[in-house]
Amino acid sequence: MRAFTVERYGSKDGVRVGDVPEPDVGADDVLVRIVAASVNPLDRMIRDGEMKTILPYKVPFVLGNDLAGVVVEVGTAVTRFAVGDEVFARPDKKRIGTFAERIAVHQDDVAVKPTTLTMEEAASLPLVALTSWQALVERAHIQPGQKVLIHAGSGGLGTIAVQLAKQLGAYVATTTSTANVDLVKRLGADVVVDYKKQAFETVLRDYDVVLDSLGGETLKKSLDVLRPGGKVISVAGPPDAAFGRELGANPVIRLVMSALSLRTRRAARRRGVTYSFLFMRASGDQLRELTPLIEAGRIRPVVDTVFPFESAREALEYVEAGRAKAGKVVVRMT
């Protein structure tokens, strides 16, 4: 079958479209004919080898982290799905490879596609929707009336996180560029900081939660907008020891992760707030929790551009160059 593979780490020239073996279908797996898959910053990081310490994929491997498609085969122990079902999913981190014609996914990681969405729209959601849910519902336990800052509100993660936070009853602030102020307002943001005109840390105060997708100086400054007892949850900051434990990493790796985040955690403690790193996990159950909100139109996917599969390299470069105006970039299989 055709797939977009990483032949060597650290180079744009180390990826190609070519033929790979068909997936093995285990007893608990569904084999999905992929119709569309979306591009995430994580794909670039994996391609460049930035995640090798925690995600040591052996080259060559197929890239891609979320999908929408049709079930074409089910394993002998599968009870939730049948051939012909339209589904969407973020495969487990150990079983990525959605830039391909087919993929075998554990049934626990799959959900029936929302009926109101196209395949391209559905493919744009799993990774960012699960990240939003795990940050805002599982970890932050957002309650009605709480104040939440979501950085990069017009990005792939931000567009979904803003909408979910509003559904949870939060008062939502977000950062974006001048061109996307109206978009994030339509998504539900109560306060919009145009980062081209204002520094968010000078206008926002006493927030309960910050969801950070930018890291670096943005993460550092985010500590200053939290009230005492507040939380910053980052998908772009340094990993911490808790993440190492979740990953099942050996003690040496956990110690390294703890050291990487030490400065950030100390800065957080001095301000009476907490810092944690989030690397989302696959969950069909959580996608099912989100589906009623999606079908009711309360969470709407935002798709920037759809590329044909043969242009998967160009799609990755388009995202890497920051050319997407808002939302997600999707690759459609042909």
Side-chain angles (χ1 to χ4, degrees):
M1 68 173 183
R2 302 285 282 169
F4 184 67
T5 62
V6 176
E7 302 293 316
R8 66 179 184 275
Y9 281 115
S11 170
K12 295 178 182 179
D13 297 328
V15 294
R16 69 176 183 89
V17 174
D19 291 320
V20 300
E22 290 285 341
D24 294 325
V25 182
D28 284 296
D29 292 343
V30 294
L31 182 66
V32 180
R33 176 176 62 81
I34 298 172
V35 177
S38 74
V39 181
N40 295 282
L42 178 61
D43 298 312
R44 193 274 307 164
M45 296 170 70
I46 291 173
R47 179 203 67 190
D48 290 350
E50 294 178 17
M51 308 296 289
K52 279 197 296 184
T53 301
I54 58 176
L55 298 173
Y57 302 118
K58 183 179 179 181
V59 294
F61 61 89
V62 181
L63 200 58
N65 283 275
D66 46 12
L67 67 95
V70 180
V71 175
V72 294
E73 183 182 337
V74 297
T76 56
V78 170
T79 58
R80 292 177 172 173
F81 302 97
V83 171
D85 286 347
E86 294 187 343
V87 297
F88 69 148
R90 191 287 201 232
D92 182 79
K93 62 183 178 296
K94 296 179 181 179
R95 301 183 66 179
I96 68 168
T98 62
F99 296 159
E101 291 179 311
R102 287 170 293 280
I103 188 173
V105 187
H106 195 287
Q107 63 174 331
D108 290 349
D109 299 336
V110 181
V112 172
K113 180 183 77 66
T115 58
T116 53
L117 301 186
T118 66
M119 285 289 187
E120 291 85 354
E121 289 171 332
S124 75
L125 283 176
L127 188 144
V128 293
L130 289 170
T131 302
S132 300
W133 184 274
Q134 290 164 24
L136 300 176
V137 176
E138 278 194 339
R139 189 163 296 185
H141 306 291
I142 296 298
Q143 300 299 311
Q146 286 190 308
K147 295 169 66 176
V148 179
L149 167 59
I150 295 166
H151 283 297
S154 61
L157 174 59
T159 53
I160 303 305
V162 166
Q163 295 178 80
L164 178 59
K166 288 303 296 180
Q167 292 305 309
L168 296 171
Y171 179 84
V172 179
T174 192
T175 57
T176 193
S177 65
T178 307
N180 287 317
V181 167
D182 288 341
L183 168 65
V184 295
K185 286 181 177 179
R186 290 196 300 273
L187 295 176
D190 298 290
V191 177
V192 180
V193 179
D194 181 345
Y195 66 77
K196 292 182 178 290
K197 298 178 180 179
Q198 293 178 299
F200 74 90
E201 70 275 13
T202 66
V203 296
L204 303 178
R205 286 289 181 275
D206 298 322
Y207 274 71
D208 297 282
V209 176
V210 176
L211 176 54
D212 165 55
S213 57
L214 301 173
E217 284 298 307
T218 298
L219 170 58
K220 181 179 178 181
K221 293 173 182 177
S222 293
L223 300 174
D224 295 328
V225 309
L226 288 167
R227 64 163 180 80
K231 303 175 183 178
V232 59
I233 300 165
S234 180
V235 299
D240 53 19
F243 171 61
R245 289 192 294 272
E246 292 173 14
L247 198 66
N250 65 53
V252 173
I253 296 297
R254 294 203 302 269
L255 186 62
V256 169
M257 290 181 179
S258 181
L260 288 172
S261 61
L262 180 61
R263 180 178 295 180
T264 302
R265 289 184 289 111
R266 281 180 172 171
R269 281 199 299 271
R270 286 196 296 269
R271 292 164 175 81
V273 303
T274 60
Y275 165 79
S276 64
F277 174 78
L278 174 67
F279 190 89
M280 58 76 59
R281 69 184 189 282
S283 174
D285 286 341
Q286 290 179 357
L287 290 176
R288 281 184 281 277
E289 292 265 13
L290 286 155
T291 293
L293 294 173
I294 297 166
E295 293 189 327
R298 295 175 181 172
I299 293 179
R300 307 186 305 276
V302 178
V303 175
D304 178 273
T305 309
V306 179
F307 285 80
F309 173 64
E310 296 297 330
S311 299
R313 181 200 295 264
E314 289 78 6
L316 193 60
E317 292 174 354
Y318 181 86
V319 171
E320 185 177 0
R323 293 170 59 194
K325 296 179 179 64
K328 294 292 291 292
V329 171
V330 174
V331 172
R332 181 177 177 87
M333 304 302 298
T334 54

